Amino acid sequence: MLVDVAALVECAQSNQMSLTVVIGGAVITGRLAPEALWRQRVSEVLTDSARLGEFAAVFGAPGRRTGRPRIWHFHAARILQGTVGIPETGGMYRVAIEDVRAWTMGDFSYSDH
């Protein structure tokens, strides 16, 4: 089922699927993105960096995918720790589907009120 979700995100080129996963003791919550969109966004962020700009081309190149997806690409994602999601503005993460230990549809947010 997890691979099917990844395949649908890739073929539909949609970034609206929210998911929360437990992997290696960490909880990551955010939206899945097609690999091409994820790479483009990472490349844009690196291009804008004075220190990391030279790495932008690595992410700007097309991915070499064969067969069924094995990686989820999260964007606008946070690692949850206690009542805090880091980074607050969301980050970009790659998660190997085989490493996922638990998952749920939707993303989590916190409120102290």
Side-chain angles (χ1 to χ4, degrees), residues 83-96:
T83 59
V84 176
I86 51 176
E88 265 186 44
T89 58
M92 294 167 278
Y93 305 101
R94 285 173 48 105
V95 173

Side-chain angles (χ1 to χ4, degrees), residues 13-26:
Q13 294 295 298
S14 170
N15 64 352
Q16 298 305 305
M17 177 58 153
S18 295
L19 200 67
T20 298
V21 298
V22 176
I23 178 169

Side-chain angles (χ1 to χ4, degrees), residues 51-111:
R51 292 188 351 239
L52 302 173
E54 65 189 277
F55 294 99
V58 173
F59 291 92
R64 288 175 261 138
R65 198 166 29 112
T66 58
R68 307 274 287 160
R70 297 178 311 178
I71 303 285
W72 273 335
H73 295 85
F74 281 88
H75 77 119
R78 295 174 317 278
I79 298 173
L80 302 181
Q81 182 167 346
T83 59
V84 176
I86 51 176
E88 265 186 44
T89 58
M92 294 167 278
Y93 305 101
R94 285 173 48 105
V95 173
I97 294 171
E98 68 184 33
D99 293 338
V100 171
R101 297 297 171 238
W103 63 279
T104 188
M105 306 307 274
D107 61 351
F108 286 98
S109 59
Y110 288 99
S111 175

Side-chain angles (χ1 to χ4, degrees), residues 15-58:
N15 64 352
Q16 298 305 305
M17 177 58 153
S18 295
L19 200 67
T20 298
V21 298
V22 176
I23 178 169
V27 177
I28 299 174
T29 189
R31 290 192 321 227
L32 296 178
E35 182 179 5
L37 178 70
W38 184 88
R39 285 175 163 276
Q40 175 187 351
R41 182 65 187 123
V42 171
S43 180
E44 290 168 359
V45 169
L46 292 173
T47 297
D48 292 342
S49 170
R51 292 188 351 239
L52 302 173
E54 65 189 277
F55 294 99
V58 173

